[in-house]
Amino acid sequence: MSSSAHPPATVPPTAHRPVSALSAAHRPATVLLTALAPAAWGTTYIITTELLPPGHPLFAGLMRSLPAGLAGLALTRVLPRGDWWWKAVVLGLLNIGGMPLLFVSAERLPGGVAATLGAVQPLLVAGLALLVLRDRPTPWRLAWGVLGVAGVGLVVLGPDARLDAVGLLAGLGHTATMAGGVVLTRRWGRPPGVGPLALAGWQLTVGGLLLLPVTLAFEGVPERIDAGAAGGYLWLGSMGGLIAYTLWFRGIATLPVGAIAPLVLLSPLVATAIGVTRGESLSPAQACGFALSLAALLAAQLNPPHHGRSTSPMTSALTIAVLGATGTVGSRITAEAAARGHRVLALARKPASGHPAVTPVPLDAADPDAVRRALTDSGAHAVVLALRTYPADEDFLVGVTRTVLDTAAGLGIRVLVIGGAGALRTPGIPDLLLADNPAYVPAELRPVAAAGVAQLRACRAHAHPDWTYLSPPALLEPGTRTARYRRGTDTLLTTPDGRSRISAEDLAAAAVDELEQPGMDRHFTVVQAAPE
């Protein structure tokens, strides 16, 4: 990790690969894998109406959740710890416990009406994300969310669509609980060392246990379960249950919340496609709606064309606010920026300045109002957040980061976050963060690494379009300024001798370089370059 107390890590030779190519391929693959979840859920309508015994939505929800959850627990052998016991219960109630409502709506409403209610989820997610994550929906994604609902409506609604009050309430209830589950899953993330399969197993088990007594009390077991129904329950519990939710939670942890929610549009589109394969035809209006929904889904994966982070050079003198200006990295960024002719505001509890271009600003970073006032009055072009706490204080770090992003968004200034190496991907194993890899992060540094990961997630969940997260390599310590470094993206880089290190002085040079000449990557890392 980024500490002089942690020895440099050695990466196996097989891990050397073009990092940029790996990163470019990672997001599309993640989107496609995540999309398999709502695609699988789109088969619920045909499975429910054609295979399952009627009148047993609670039992269907139970069979979709409890066996799958127990299988997940058996495969991972990981149980929640600490506050994750109650968090797992809350998430299980939202993501899984509302599942019978889906079967109620599927039974009482035409598939098209139920699907349209589900298509409202991206808009509900946008509203909840604003309240819980302070993630302001961009007009781009909000507009496409509305168009996505309209598109689904054109596809699946017709003049003969019957509206049942109970079915409507059930469909809206399921959509609302799933939206809440998405936002809270994004807010809480996963405990260190816990993968998406374990998280899915916890929630499916919780949801199943909550449904078990209710099902036995109000419905019981269907009198007859034939081979078709058994196959339907097996499909819903496997592909529609454990596999789908594992992929879904994996996607929530890595994709922007505004991009993942519209993927639920795939559910009604898949249901429609299944109908076409069974001999149904699409009218011109339905075909236009299908295309519109697909366009909305794809457009949500793109950054708004006029709201992306600026990549224009800022080589003239800047005013840079450095929060944490007396720390190992913050002090060197302050010195580096001042030496290049920039005006620096050194924000710290007890700032000091021996340079005429550096203005000390006493500040307690734990006071959100003080942070807002300091940045508002600074006239800064950019703010560098270079804070770390030992021992780790994740809530403090995430809270300060959100305060800085909130304020910077209102002022229209850039934010450069000096984060942790734990947020980087393991070379050769892109799905494994360094924070979860004991080969890089020993147990005593795990809380520090987890705090850095949470900080990056807070950045990704925020609506401010102009932030960058710089992860140092595995070893960061004071040293010599050479201004020679190699830049990568979100995967750990190494030197030719297999180590991953950089001096704090060269990290500061890379940080000021990024402010002067912004790169294209939201998350990047650097490593010491080989001597010439």
Side-chain angles (χ1 to χ4, degrees), residues 90-91 94 132-133 179-189:
V90 172
L91 293 178
L94 292 174
V132 178
L133 303 175
V182 168
V183 172
L184 281 185
T185 301
R186 179 72 182 195
R187 173 70 180 87
W188 290 336

Side-chain angles (χ1 to χ4, degrees), residues 121-131 135-137 142 183 261:
Q121 187 181 129
L123 301 179
L124 291 179
V125 168
L128 290 174
L130 176 61
L131 295 175
D135 183 355
R136 298 177 181 83
L142 199 58
V183 172

Side-chain angles (χ1 to χ4, degrees), residues 218-529:
F218 292 96
E219 277 187 6
V221 179
E223 293 184 2
R224 181 173 180 270
I225 299 177
D226 57 20
Y233 289 132
L234 179 61
W235 170 262
L236 291 176
S238 57
M239 190 61 220
L242 186 60
I243 297 174
Y245 279 100
T246 298
L247 295 174
W248 187 243
F249 296 142
R250 176 181 179 272
I252 290 176
T254 55
L255 296 173
V257 68
I260 193 171
L263 291 177
V264 299
L265 296 177
L266 273 175
S267 183
L269 295 183
V270 166
T272 300
I274 291 174
V276 171
T277 63
R278 292 167 57 86
E280 300 177 7
S281 59
L282 296 181
S283 67
Q286 288 177 312
C288 290
F290 194 99
L292 181 60
S293 298
L294 190 59
L297 186 155
L298 295 174
Q301 308 308 313
L302 304 175
N303 288 323
H306 299 297
H307 295 277
R309 60 184 299 269
S310 172
T311 57
S312 59
M314 297 180 69
T315 53
S316 58
L318 307 175
T319 297
I320 302 170
V322 180
L323 185 55
T326 56
T328 300
V329 175
S331 61
R332 285 160 175 81
I333 292 176
T334 298
E336 177 76 21
R340 298 194 194 187
H342 301 300
R343 175 177 175 251
V344 182
L345 301 177
L347 280 57
R349 283 182 179 274
K350 297 180 179 180
S353 173
H355 194 288
V358 177
T359 302
V361 180
L363 174 70
D364 181 1
D367 183 348
D369 291 334
V371 172
R372 294 188 189 98
R373 286 194 301 270
L375 295 181
T376 301
D377 298 338
S378 67
H381 299 96
V383 55
V384 178
L385 181 55
L387 288 176
R388 276 295 174 269
T389 58
Y390 298 94
D393 188 341
E394 181 177 313
D395 291 339
F396 165 75
L397 188 62
V398 171
V400 175
T401 302
R402 287 179 177 151
T403 298
V404 170
L405 290 169
D406 287 344
T407 308
L411 297 173
I413 61 178
R414 295 178 178 174
V415 176
L416 174 60
V417 179
I418 309 300
L424 294 171
R425 304 184 188 280
T426 300
I429 316 177
D431 288 337
L432 180 61
L433 294 181
L434 262 63
D436 300 327
N437 189 340
Y440 290 94
V441 181
E444 62 270 19
L445 291 179
R446 185 69 60 83
V448 178
V453 174
Q455 184 183 35
L456 176 57
R457 287 175 178 161
C459 292
R460 286 175 172 163
H462 202 278
H464 184 36
D466 204 357
W467 60 264
T468 306
Y469 188 98
L470 168 56
S471 283
L475 180 63
L476 172 65
E477 57 188 356
T480 304
R481 182 188 186 279
T482 67
R484 293 194 302 269
Y485 61 87
R486 184 161 56 96
R487 177 173 172 138
T489 52
D490 62 354
T491 299
L492 185 75
L493 293 179
T494 63
T495 57
D497 62 0
R499 296 179 180 272
S500 179
R501 60 189 176 191
I502 198 170
S503 68
E505 287 75 9
D506 280 344
L507 186 73
V512 179
D513 285 346
E514 169 66 21
L515 294 176
E516 293 179 345
Q517 298 279 348
M520 296 296 295
D521 301 301
R522 280 284 184 90
H523 184 195
F524 76 101
T525 187
V526 292
V527 72
Q528 200 80 49

